[in-house]
Amino acid sequence: MKMLDASITEAFERGGLSAFEIAESALLVGTTGGIFIRNEHEFTESVRRNPGMESPPIVCRNRGPGEVADVIARKYGIRGLPMTFSMACVSSSHALVVAADLIAQKRIRRAVVVGFEPLLNLTLQGFASLLLYDPDECRPFCNRRMGMQIGEAASCVILEESDSAARQKRLFVCRRSSV
Amino acid sequence: MKNGNIHIRGWGAVTALGWGAEGARRLIAGDVHPAGVCGSAHLVNREFKGFEVACDGNPWKRR
Protein backbone atom coordinates (compact mmCIF):
# COMPACT_ATOMS: atom_id res chain seq x y z
CA MET A 1 0.00 0.00 0.00
CA LYS A 2 2.98 2.32 0.45
CA MET A 3 3.56 2.07 -3.27
CA LEU A 4 -0.06 3.01 -3.88
CA ASP A 5 0.10 5.96 -1.49
CA ALA A 6 3.32 7.21 -3.06
CA SER A 7 1.84 7.29 -6.56
CA ILE A 8 -1.40 9.02 -5.52
CA THR A 9 0.40 11.58 -3.36
CA GLU A 10 2.78 12.41 -6.18
CA ALA A 11 -0.06 12.80 -8.67
CA PHE A 12 -1.92 15.18 -6.36
CA GLU A 13 1.21 17.21 -5.71
CA ARG A 14 2.11 17.45 -9.39
CA GLY A 15 -1.42 18.46 -10.25
CA GLY A 16 -1.65 20.96 -7.42
CA LEU A 17 -5.15 19.79 -6.50
CA SER A 18 -6.98 21.50 -3.68
CA ALA A 19 -8.91 19.54 -1.06
CA PHE A 20 -12.15 20.60 -2.71
CA GLU A 21 -11.00 19.42 -6.14
CA ILE A 22 -9.96 16.09 -4.68
CA ALA A 23 -13.30 15.72 -2.92
CA GLU A 24 -15.36 16.36 -6.06
CA SER A 25 -13.30 13.99 -8.22
CA ALA A 26 -14.48 10.59 -9.37
CA LEU A 27 -12.25 7.65 -8.48
CA LEU A 28 -11.67 4.81 -10.93
CA VAL A 29 -9.42 1.98 -9.80
CA GLY A 30 -8.05 -0.73 -12.04
CA THR A 31 -6.83 -3.69 -9.99
CA THR A 32 -7.12 -7.45 -9.79
CA GLY A 33 -4.51 -8.49 -7.23
CA GLY A 34 -5.60 -5.66 -5.00
CA ILE A 35 -8.85 -7.46 -4.37
CA PHE A 36 -7.08 -10.49 -2.93
CA ILE A 37 -4.48 -8.89 -0.67
CA ARG A 38 -6.31 -9.41 2.58
CA ASN A 39 -7.61 -12.86 1.70
CA GLU A 40 -4.15 -14.09 0.89
CA HIS A 41 -2.68 -12.50 4.00
CA GLU A 42 -5.27 -14.12 6.25
CA PHE A 43 -4.78 -17.51 4.63
CA THR A 44 -0.99 -17.25 4.98
CA GLU A 45 -1.27 -16.23 8.64
CA SER A 46 -3.66 -19.08 9.34
CA VAL A 47 -1.25 -21.60 7.87
CA ARG A 48 1.67 -20.05 9.76
CA ARG A 49 -0.16 -20.19 13.10
CA ASN A 50 -1.28 -23.78 12.60
CA PRO A 51 1.79 -25.63 11.35
CA GLY A 52 1.28 -29.24 10.57
CA MET A 53 -2.47 -28.91 10.27
CA GLU A 54 -4.42 -29.23 7.09
CA SER A 55 -4.62 -25.92 5.29
CA PRO A 56 -7.90 -24.17 5.94
CA PRO A 57 -10.13 -23.31 3.02
CA ILE A 58 -9.07 -19.87 1.86
CA VAL A 59 -11.56 -17.36 3.06
CA CYS A 60 -12.90 -15.64 0.04
CA ARG A 61 -15.83 -13.99 1.69
CA ASN A 62 -16.84 -11.11 -0.35
CA ARG A 63 -15.51 -7.92 1.09
CA GLY A 64 -16.59 -6.30 -2.09
CA PRO A 65 -14.32 -5.71 -5.10
CA GLY A 66 -14.33 -2.01 -4.26
CA GLU A 67 -12.26 -2.40 -1.10
CA VAL A 68 -9.17 -0.74 -2.59
CA ALA A 69 -11.25 2.15 -3.93
CA ASP A 70 -12.93 2.53 -0.54
CA VAL A 71 -9.57 2.73 1.23
CA ILE A 72 -8.28 5.34 -1.22
CA ALA A 73 -11.46 7.39 -1.10
CA ARG A 74 -11.49 7.48 2.71
CA LYS A 75 -7.82 8.28 3.04
CA TYR A 76 -7.74 11.11 0.52
CA GLY A 77 -11.25 12.46 0.99
CA ILE A 78 -12.50 11.61 -2.51
CA ARG A 79 -16.30 11.80 -2.54
CA GLY A 80 -17.11 11.53 -6.23
CA LEU A 81 -18.24 8.48 -8.16
CA PRO A 82 -16.14 5.41 -7.22
CA MET A 83 -15.63 2.55 -9.65
CA THR A 84 -13.43 -0.55 -9.67
CA PHE A 85 -12.30 -2.44 -12.75
CA SER A 86 -11.08 -5.97 -12.15
CA MET A 87 -10.23 -7.12 -15.66
CA ALA A 88 -6.81 -8.71 -15.28
CA CYS A 89 -4.20 -7.11 -17.51
CA VAL A 90 -6.52 -4.46 -18.94
CA SER A 91 -7.95 -3.24 -15.64
CA SER A 92 -6.28 0.17 -15.52
CA SER A 93 -6.45 0.69 -19.28
CA HIS A 94 -10.19 0.21 -19.11
CA ALA A 95 -10.42 2.55 -16.14
CA LEU A 96 -8.63 5.27 -18.15
CA VAL A 97 -10.93 4.82 -21.15
CA VAL A 98 -14.09 4.95 -19.02
CA ALA A 99 -12.80 8.01 -17.15
CA ALA A 100 -12.13 9.83 -20.42
CA ASP A 101 -15.57 8.88 -21.69
CA LEU A 102 -17.28 10.14 -18.54
CA ILE A 103 -15.43 13.45 -18.82
CA ALA A 104 -16.16 13.77 -22.53
CA GLN A 105 -19.85 13.16 -21.81
CA LYS A 106 -19.67 15.77 -19.06
CA ARG A 107 -20.90 13.34 -16.44
CA ILE A 108 -17.90 14.14 -14.26
CA ARG A 109 -15.44 17.01 -14.24
CA ARG A 110 -12.34 15.20 -13.00
CA ALA A 111 -11.22 11.63 -12.51
CA VAL A 112 -8.51 10.15 -10.33
CA VAL A 113 -7.55 6.97 -12.17
CA VAL A 114 -5.47 4.46 -10.23
CA GLY A 115 -3.73 1.36 -11.49
CA PHE A 116 -2.60 -0.99 -8.76
CA GLU A 117 -1.19 -4.47 -9.04
CA PRO A 118 0.64 -5.92 -6.06
CA LEU A 119 2.69 -9.09 -6.23
CA LEU A 120 0.79 -11.96 -4.67
CA ASN A 121 1.42 -15.66 -4.32
CA LEU A 122 -1.90 -16.16 -6.08
CA THR A 123 -0.59 -14.30 -9.13
CA LEU A 124 2.86 -15.87 -9.03
CA GLN A 125 1.57 -19.42 -8.74
CA GLY A 126 -1.22 -18.80 -11.21
CA PHE A 127 1.13 -17.83 -14.02
CA ALA A 128 3.54 -20.57 -12.96
CA SER A 129 0.81 -23.18 -13.32
CA LEU A 130 0.39 -22.03 -16.91
CA LEU A 131 4.15 -22.52 -17.44
CA LEU A 132 4.51 -18.94 -18.59
CA TYR A 133 7.71 -17.88 -16.84
CA ASP A 134 11.13 -17.60 -18.37
CA PRO A 135 13.23 -19.62 -15.94
CA ASP A 136 16.42 -17.74 -16.75
CA GLU A 137 15.90 -14.01 -17.06
CA CYS A 138 13.81 -11.13 -18.34
CA ARG A 139 14.54 -10.82 -22.06
CA PRO A 140 11.44 -9.41 -23.79
CA PHE A 141 13.10 -8.56 -27.11
CA CYS A 142 14.89 -11.84 -27.68
CA ASN A 143 13.46 -14.31 -30.17
CA ARG A 144 14.61 -17.13 -27.95
CA ARG A 145 12.90 -15.89 -24.84
CA MET A 146 11.13 -18.64 -22.97
CA GLY A 147 8.44 -16.71 -21.20
CA MET A 148 7.56 -13.67 -19.17
CA GLN A 149 8.41 -12.06 -15.88
CA ILE A 150 6.02 -10.15 -13.67
CA GLY A 151 6.41 -7.41 -11.10
CA GLU A 152 4.28 -5.00 -9.14
CA ALA A 153 3.45 -1.35 -9.60
CA ALA A 154 1.06 1.46 -8.77
CA SER A 155 0.21 4.52 -10.79
CA CYS A 156 -2.19 7.41 -10.63
CA VAL A 157 -3.34 9.73 -13.41
CA ILE A 158 -5.62 12.73 -12.96
CA LEU A 159 -7.82 13.46 -15.94
CA GLU A 160 -10.07 16.47 -16.32
CA GLU A 161 -11.91 18.41 -18.96
CA SER A 162 -9.59 20.80 -20.72
CA ASP A 163 -11.74 23.87 -20.15
CA SER A 164 -11.49 23.69 -16.39
CA ALA A 165 -7.76 23.16 -16.65
CA ALA A 166 -7.20 26.33 -18.65
CA ARG A 167 -6.43 28.28 -15.52
CA GLN A 168 -4.35 25.53 -13.97
CA LYS A 169 -0.85 24.29 -14.38
CA ARG A 170 -0.97 22.33 -17.60
CA LEU A 171 1.12 19.21 -18.13
CA PHE A 172 -0.22 18.02 -21.45
CA VAL A 173 -3.44 17.40 -23.36
CA CYS A 174 -4.51 13.99 -24.51
CA ARG A 175 -6.59 13.87 -27.65
CA ARG A 176 -8.82 10.85 -27.93
CA SER A 177 -10.27 9.52 -31.10
CA SER A 178 -13.44 7.56 -31.48
CA VAL A 179 -13.25 3.82 -31.45
CA MET B 1 -17.62 7.58 -27.44
CA LYS B 2 -16.87 11.10 -28.47
CA ASN B 3 -13.88 13.08 -29.58
CA GLY B 4 -12.56 15.62 -27.19
CA ASN B 5 -9.59 16.98 -25.36
CA ILE B 6 -8.85 15.39 -22.05
CA HIS B 7 -6.29 17.11 -19.89
CA ILE B 8 -3.85 15.10 -17.83
CA ARG B 9 -3.23 17.23 -14.83
CA GLY B 10 -1.01 15.14 -12.63
CA TRP B 11 0.37 11.69 -12.34
CA GLY B 12 2.59 9.45 -10.30
CA ALA B 13 3.97 5.99 -10.81
CA VAL B 14 5.96 3.66 -8.60
CA THR B 15 7.24 0.14 -9.05
CA ALA B 16 9.07 -2.19 -6.76
CA LEU B 17 12.08 -1.67 -9.01
CA GLY B 18 12.31 1.96 -7.94
CA TRP B 19 10.81 3.50 -11.05
CA GLY B 20 8.99 6.75 -10.43
CA ALA B 21 6.76 8.95 -12.52
CA GLU B 22 9.68 10.93 -13.90
CA GLY B 23 11.35 7.80 -15.24
CA ALA B 24 8.08 6.68 -16.79
CA ARG B 25 7.57 10.12 -18.35
CA ARG B 26 11.02 10.04 -19.90
CA LEU B 27 10.44 6.55 -21.22
CA ILE B 28 7.17 7.58 -22.88
CA ALA B 29 8.82 10.65 -24.36
CA GLY B 30 11.63 8.55 -25.76
CA ASP B 31 14.16 10.26 -23.54
CA VAL B 32 16.21 7.20 -22.79
CA HIS B 33 19.83 6.26 -23.11
CA PRO B 34 20.79 3.87 -25.86
CA ALA B 35 21.66 0.54 -24.40
CA GLY B 36 25.07 -0.92 -24.81
CA VAL B 37 25.50 -3.89 -27.08
CA CYS B 38 23.84 -6.88 -25.47
CA GLY B 39 26.40 -9.55 -24.85
CA SER B 40 23.91 -12.28 -23.93
CA ALA B 41 24.96 -15.56 -25.46
CA HIS B 42 21.42 -16.60 -26.27
CA LEU B 43 20.80 -13.84 -28.83
CA VAL B 44 20.73 -14.92 -32.49
CA ASN B 45 21.44 -11.40 -33.67
CA ARG B 46 21.93 -8.07 -32.00
CA GLU B 47 20.48 -5.75 -34.60
CA PHE B 48 17.68 -4.33 -32.54
CA LYS B 49 17.15 -1.02 -30.82
CA GLY B 50 17.66 -1.22 -27.14
CA PHE B 51 17.42 1.37 -24.43
CA GLU B 52 18.17 1.71 -20.78
CA VAL B 53 15.96 3.34 -18.20
CA ALA B 54 17.60 4.39 -15.00
CA CYS B 55 15.83 3.33 -11.84
CA ASP B 56 14.87 6.28 -9.68
CA GLY B 57 15.96 4.48 -6.56
CA ASN B 58 13.96 3.93 -3.44
CA PRO B 59 10.29 4.09 -4.38
CA TRP B 60 9.32 5.13 -0.89
CA LYS B 61 11.43 8.27 -0.97
CA ARG B 62 9.51 10.93 -2.76
CA ARG B 63 11.05 14.23 -3.78
Side-chain angles (χ1 to χ4, degrees):
Chain A
M1 298 303 285
K2 283 185 181 179
M3 187 167 60
L4 184 61
D5 286 341
S7 65
I8 296 173
T9 299
E10 181 172 15
F12 286 169
E13 288 175 353
R14 281 170 171 259
L17 269 69
S18 66
F20 175 78
E21 289 173 323
I22 293 173
E24 72 166 1
S25 300
L27 173 63
L28 292 87
V29 178
T31 185
T32 296
I35 295 174
F36 297 103
I37 287 179
R38 277 214 284 165
N39 288 340
E40 181 167 301
H41 174 72
E42 289 176 359
F43 176 80
T44 304
E45 281 297 298
S46 177
V47 171
R48 187 180 65 81
R49 290 195 198 111
N50 300 282
M53 294 182 63
E54 183 178 345
S55 303
I58 186 169
V59 177
C60 292
R61 65 175 181 270
N62 188 11
R63 291 189 172 88
E67 187 176 19
V68 174
D70 287 343
V71 168
I72 295 172
R74 276 199 303 272
K75 177 165 186 174
Y76 293 93
I78 301 172
R79 300 195 182 95
L81 171 70
M83 297 179 74
T84 298
F85 299 82
S86 178
M87 307 168 77
C89 305
V90 296
S91 298
S92 53
S93 301
H94 209 84
L96 278 169
V97 171
V98 172
D101 273 350
L102 291 173
I103 293 172
Q105 296 169 20
K106 303 212 182 286
R107 292 177 183 271
I108 61 174
R109 183 176 303 176
R110 185 178 309 102
V112 178
V113 184
V114 174
F116 175 50
E117 205 59 44
L119 200 58
L120 300 175
N121 282 316
L122 178 70
T123 314
L124 283 169
Q125 300 305 327
F127 281 108
S129 70
L130 297 171
L131 308 179
L132 290 179
Y133 291 137
D134 188 325
D136 294 331
E137 56 188 330
C138 180
R139 41 185 175 176
F141 304 113
C142 178
N143 62 2
R144 283 192 177 181
R145 67 190 175 105
M146 295 174 65
M148 57 182 273
Q149 303 274 340
I150 63 173
E152 60 178 3
S155 63
C156 178
V157 178
I158 301 167
L159 302 181
E160 61 185 1
E161 54 187 355
S162 56
D163 288 345
S164 68
R167 298 183 297 275
Q168 307 296 332
K169 178 182 177 182
R170 183 176 294 263
L171 289 182
F172 51 97
V173 175
C174 171
R175 285 185 182 273
R176 287 184 61 252
S177 58
S178 294
V179 175
Chain B
M1 289 188 166
K2 298 180 181 179
N3 290 329
N5 292 340
I6 304 296
H7 171 75
I8 299 177
R9 185 167 166 184
W11 66 321
V14 182
T15 75
L17 297 176
W19 284 28
E22 192 56 31
R25 187 193 65 77
R26 288 197 298 268
L27 174 64
I28 293 170
D31 180 17
V32 290
H33 299 293
V37 174
C38 180
S40 296
H42 64 276
L43 291 180
V44 175
N45 68 68
R46 293 178 173 77
E47 295 183 8
F48 56 87
K49 289 188 178 181
F51 57 84
E52 297 175 352
V53 179
C55 289
D56 292 355
N58 189 338
W60 310 137
K61 287 185 181 179
R62 313 308 305 168
R63 295 192 193 93

